[in-house]
Every structure is written in structure tokens, then in C-alpha cells.
Amino acid sequence: MGNSDSVVAQKRLARFRPDERPVIKGIFDRLHEPRSSVSSGKPTKVLSLDMLKMTMGKMASESMIKRVFQGMHSIDPGVPLARGDGIIQEQLVIFLADILRGTAEERAPLVLAMAEGAKATATTTEQIRDFMEDLVSAAVQTLAHRGHLRAWQPDRMGDGPQGVKLLAEQLTSELKSSDQNMCDIPCLEDWLFQIPAMAMFLELLIGEGLGVGLPSCPPPTLLPLCRYAPWSDLCCLLNIPLLMFLSPQMPAGHSAPWRLLFSTSIHGESFTRLVFNCKSKGPTVLLVKDTKGHIFGGFVSQSLEVKPQYQGDSRCFLFSVFPYMRVYTCTGYNNHYMYLNQGQQTLPNGLGMGGQHGYFGLWLDSNFGHGHSKARPLCTTYGSPQLSGDEDFILDTVEVWGVGQPPEEQEEQDEKKKSILDADPEIKAMMELTGKTLHSQGLREPEEDER
């Protein structure tokens, strides 16, 4: 950017640290090709669509790369543009600043241009959904190409392309469009503000696709770590888009590692084995597929325990995966979050979430192979509809994943954090007798049983 610098571009560039600004400007120098200016006819430098395809081709489809180019081309930098449809440096700088450091108000026009075209003032929900399919697919490709899958193995997981379509539909369903299913800039601004995943997908694709590599802007984490899964024997119900959807709904988000506890494909169709593998293992995710092809499940925020009372708390939720991807959180109507019982004569034996005995939002009978999802009209605890193909369903597959550290490891870490004074009361007593001041006594958080 020379003597006739774009004021807009300079202001956007100022959002980056001084040591990062040469990096942002250098991206254009790395990708440009010669072209003449519209106003002067003198040679100028531009970024072409072909060069963008060469740069991003392994991380996004051709249609998504064209959308990115449209977004860049829609920007008015306040200086003369190049002949043809090339992108000048000022346009690229503004685009990078708005994607990597921008607000919902600044990103909304770019999303509109990428979905509909450079001069559009509104678009349809169908166009947004198509754009989201391209963007989610590109995010998955980028994670794989850059080695950010965090030990997950897509070739041993569920239908990824189907997961892309389902996640795109779920994200699009959050749009508050007009009666004609039209979305203008204010509609998109509100949507982008409410859906942080959108910004993360765009940051990942543009940051990694163009090789930005800013120290202050590492690639966003979109997946939890897979700590354990016997991949050689497993073909799981999870897919990468589903993980991208479910993980942020949980209290610890992407920071909690996942580990397989139970799968019918490995451990067989045994309720006793399911209970043995999963009780007292910390928070868990239950996934169920019925013989009609519906996939659904629930998140349990506390360790499963066999007892005749309801358990869990308001962080529990139910969800559907197929034929649509949704999460159903607690309504506050009752506290029937979770139920697990076995070997009782007078109470139901099985695993249930939401509703009530004989009328659960999700129920797996201890007579393994059968379950129900009853909701007329909705589950009282979670507000969920019927999740299964039939109200009384037959099981095809069941999986349970532990989320977070196993309780025994957490207890070990908590023990290590304790002061030596807590571990050895005799030392504490001797220090008090000799008049030593216990400087940390009033600074540490009280233990649970001291509150």
C-alpha cells in the first residue's frame, strides 16, 4: 500500500499488532500477479481466483473458494480497483481484518456476498444453507489437511457428508428470517452474533487456507481430544461435524477429552456390561441408533450411579442427530434428568432421561434391545419431541463416551494441589505451637466441607 493508501485499509491494519502487520501485507505479496489499473492503466498487483484456488485447493471445494473470492471482491477499499476481477491488496487487508478481528456487523456483508453475490442486499435461507454446507465442509477438510483432528479418525466414524448437511441445516435454522425466508444485513448480523461457531469456521478456513500464521491468532479449536478409542475394532456413530456441534454444548467445551466406554459393536448387546463400563466414570455422552435409522442421545453431567432415584442436574440435555441435528436443554419443569436402575422388582429397570417412569424422553430397557421415546407433545424435562423413528423402538447401535478426566485422575490431581499443611495436620499443629504464621491460611479457597 503506497502513497494513495486506503484509509479504510489502514484502520483495519491497525487492529493487528505492529509485528503482525507486515505478515498481513505480506500475504498479498506472496499471492499476487501483475494486472493494469482501471484508472491509470499502469501495472498493478492483484490476487486472482486461480491463485486463490491454488492456495486453498486442498482445504476447500471450488465453490467455497469462489465464495471467498466473491467476499473479497465485494469490498470497497476507497481506492481505484484493478481491471477485471482481481483483488487488490487493500481489499485483501480489509477482508482479513474483518474475518480475523471483525465484529458481527463487519462480517455480515461478507457473508451475504459469499452466499449471494457481491452486489446483493438480501438472500434466501436456502442460499445461506448452501453457503453453510460449503463452509462446514471446508472446516472439516482444513482440520484434516492441517492435522488438527486431535486423534479422531473420520474413516472409522459415521457419515461425514451427511453430518455436514445436518450441521449446516441446524446452523441455518437459527436464522430469524422474514416471512418470505429472506435475510438482509441486520438479520445476518443478529445471526452471526448469536452463533459463535460461524466466526470460528471462517477464522479457521481463512487463517489456515491463506497461511496467515499470526502468533496472537492460533487456529480455533473445533474438536475435543479423543483420548481413547479402539479404532481398529470400532465404527462409531459420531462424525466430525457432530463433534463440532455437540462439544460446545457441554460445560467444559472442547477442553474435555473424550474416551469410549461402551459400544455394542465391541462389547455386545448387554445392559449389564453397559452399566459396568459406564457407572462412576464421570460425565458421559449416550448415542443411540434405532432400526429406523434415527440417531439421538443425551449428555449426563455427573457420574452414572445405579439407584432408584433420579440423578443429574440442569446441565444434562437430550439431542437428536438424524434426521435433524438439535439440542434440547432443561425446561425447569422437573428434575427428572437421569435415571439408572437394575435388578429391582417394583421399579423400572433400565436407563432413562427426562419425563417420568414409563414415559421417558429417552429410555433403554434393561432387557437390552428395546427402548422408547415418548413425548406428547413434548418431554416435560427437556422439551424434546419424539427422538426415535417409532415411539417404542428397537436398538441398532448404542455407544457411550466418557467426557473429561476420569474421576480417579481428577481426585489424584486434587490431592496433589493440597497444601502440605492439609496433608499432615501434625506439622500444622507444631507450627501453630511455635508461633509460626500460616501465611496461606486466609488466601486459599475453603474446601467444600468447610463452606
Side-chain angles (χ1 to χ4, degrees), residues 66 78 154 163 217 228 232 254 261 273 276 282 304 321 323 366 381 383 431:
K66 286 180 179 177
C217 189
Y228 168 75
S232 59
H254 301 306
L261 299 178
R273 182 65 183 269
F276 178 80
L304 294 170
V321 178
S366 62
T381 311
M431 290 183 69

Side-chain angles (χ1 to χ4, degrees), residues 56-65 134 137-138 141-142 205:
M56 302 179 68
K58 292 183 178 179
M59 284 164 278
S61 65
E62 185 171 322
S63 61
M64 185 65 225
I65 297 171
D134 279 348
S137 178
Q141 280 183 251
T142 303
L205 174 61

Side-chain angles (χ1 to χ4, degrees), residues 78-145:
V79 295
L81 301 175
R83 292 184 184 276
D85 60 356
I87 306 300
I88 64 172
Q89 186 178 40
E90 288 82 358
Q91 287 176 305
L92 179 61
V93 167
I94 295 168
F95 181 82
L96 290 172
D98 287 350
I99 293 296
L100 301 177
R101 292 282 194 276
T103 63
E105 289 79 6
E106 291 164 338
R107 288 172 174 148
L110 297 178
V111 169
L112 179 60
M114 287 189 277
E116 185 71 32
K119 299 186 182 300
T121 58
T123 187
T124 64
T125 54
E126 289 78 13
Q127 290 285 76
I128 293 293
R129 186 177 63 245
D130 291 343
F131 163 66
M132 286 307 306
E133 285 187 19
D134 279 348
L135 180 58
V136 173
S137 178
V140 174
Q141 280 183 251
T142 303
L143 290 173
H145 182 71

Side-chain angles (χ1 to χ4, degrees), residues 278-395:
C278 302
K279 70 176 182 178
S280 305
K281 294 296 195 297
T284 50
V285 173
L286 167 71
L287 281 157
V288 177
K289 181 179 181 182
D290 66 19
T291 53
K292 292 292 181 72
H294 285 230
I295 304 174
F296 47 94
F299 169 69
V300 182
S301 58
Q302 300 174 353
S303 284
L304 294 170
E305 303 295 342
V306 178
K307 58 183 180 181
Q309 295 86 25
Y310 288 100
Q311 51 193 293
D313 58 31
S314 59
R315 295 173 298 172
C316 299
F317 59 81
L318 288 176
F319 59 85
S320 61
V321 178
F322 183 83
Y324 45 82
M325 201 177 278
R326 296 287 189 276
V327 161
Y328 305 100
T329 55
C330 296
T331 62
Y333 182 83
N334 58 39
N335 63 351
H336 300 175
Y337 308 117
M338 174 68 202
Y339 176 87
L340 178 62
N341 212 352
Q342 190 178 23
Q344 293 288 318
Q345 298 295 323
T346 57
L347 290 170
N349 293 311
L351 185 157
M353 293 188 68
Q356 60 190 25
H357 293 324
Y359 210 85
F360 284 96
L362 169 56
W363 171 256
L364 301 183
D365 199 87
S366 62
N367 181 15
F368 205 83
H370 299 274
H372 71 241
S373 177
K374 296 185 179 181
R376 295 182 184 176
L378 298 174
C379 169
T380 53
T381 311
Y382 297 108
S384 54
Q386 179 181 308
L387 303 174
S388 49
D390 294 325
E391 190 175 77
D392 295 292
F393 62 83
I394 300 174
L395 289 174

Side-chain angles (χ1 to χ4, degrees), residues 414-431:
D414 293 344
E415 196 65 32
K416 288 179 180 178
K417 290 179 183 177
K418 284 187 176 182
S419 165
I420 184 63
L421 302 180
D422 297 323
D424 196 334
E426 290 186 11
I427 294 178
K428 181 177 178 180
M430 288 176 64
M431 290 183 69

